Amino acid sequence: MNNRRSHKQQPQCQTGLVVAAFGRHFSVETASGDIVSCVMRGKKGGVACGDQVEYQLTAAGQGVIETVQPRISLLYRSDAFKEKIIAANVTQIIIVVAAVPSFSEELISRCLAAAESENIEVLIVLNKADLIAPTQTAMQTLSLYQNLDYRILPVSALQDVSALRPHLRNHLSVLAGQSGMGKSTLLNALIPEARRATAEISVALDSGTHTTTYSQLYHLDENSAVIDSPGFQEFGLNHIKEENLAWGFLEFHPYFGQCKFSNCRHLKEPGCAILTAVKQGKITEKRLGFYHKLLCRDRSGTGLTR
C-alpha cells in the first residue's frame, strides 16, 4: 500500500511591474506586456506604481502580490495622522506649474524637500508658456529656484512638448502639480494613447467612477516611463524626520554644523547660522518661511491647505 501523500504543487511566483494602483487593487504588467489584476496578500505593507513585485496567478488575468522587491526610492505623503504611498523607484520629479493660474510655491518647496530626501532629480516645467506676459512674471518667480540650480523648462502643452522629451529619457518620472496647471493636457500631449490606456486600466481595476483618483504608469520607450498620480494636492512631509527636513533646502547646506546648538531647528535659536545667513541676504526670507511651514504645519496635522 502506498502511504505517500500527493501534495498539490504551489504555483511559482512571477515578476512584474505595477503600472496602476487603486486602493488595494493593482495592475501588474508581465514580462510579455500583459496586465494581471492583483491584490496584496494580507497586510504586508503598501504597493505603488513603479514597484517591481513577485505575484502568483490565481486565475486567468488575476493574481496575488506576494512580495515587493527592494526600491531605490519611495515617494509618499503623510501628516500627523496618516500616510499614503505615491510612487516607487522614481528617478525624477517633474513639478508642473503654469503661467496662469497662480501656482503654489509652498507645494514646490514640499516637492523639492521630498526629492532631496530620496536623492531624486527635479525638473520644474512651466506650462502655458505661449502666454507671453504671464510667463515672464512666472519666470521671475521661478528664478529663485533656478538660482538654486534647479532646472526650469517653459513649454506649451497645447502647442509643442518636444523640448520636454529629452528630459524624460532613461528616467522613471512622476508628474506633480496642483489642479489647473495643465498636467493632464501635458500628459496627453506626451502620450496620446494615455486616454485609451486609462479607460482600459479602469476596466481592469473595476474602479468605475474613480478613474481620476488612482496612479498610473505610462511607458515612453523601453527605458523611460511617466507616472501620473493624484497624490500631490496635499503633500504632507510628516514622515521626514524633523532633523532631516532642512536637508531639503539646498541653500541651507553650507551652514550645517555652524549653529551654536547641535539640535538647532533654525526657528529662533540664538547662534543659528541659517538665521544669520537670512539676515545677511544669503538665504531668502521666503524660503526660510516655507521651511518653517513644513516644520511646524505638518507636525500639527494640518498639511498643505492650498
Side-chain angles (χ1 to χ4, degrees), residues 83-132:
E83 61 183 42
K84 182 177 177 58
I85 297 176
I86 296 174
N89 299 313
V90 168
T91 60
Q92 179 173 245
I93 296 179
I94 299 176
I95 306 173
V96 182
V97 298
V100 290
S102 60
F103 52 85
S104 168
E105 285 191 77
E106 183 180 339
L107 180 60
I108 292 177
S109 290
R110 288 174 177 272
C111 290
L112 294 179
E116 296 299 336
S117 71
E118 291 288 318
N119 197 29
I120 298 172
E121 294 185 28
V122 174
L123 173 66
I124 301 175
V125 170
L126 175 60
N127 192 19
K128 308 181 186 180
D130 50 304
L131 305 174
I132 305 302

Side-chain angles (χ1 to χ4, degrees), residues 276-294:
T276 299
V278 172
K279 291 179 181 179
Q280 294 174 345
K282 297 177 181 178
I283 296 174
T284 67
E285 292 187 6
K286 178 189 286 188
R287 286 279 285 173
L288 179 67
F290 288 143
Y291 165 73
H292 286 169
K293 285 183 179 180
L294 268 60

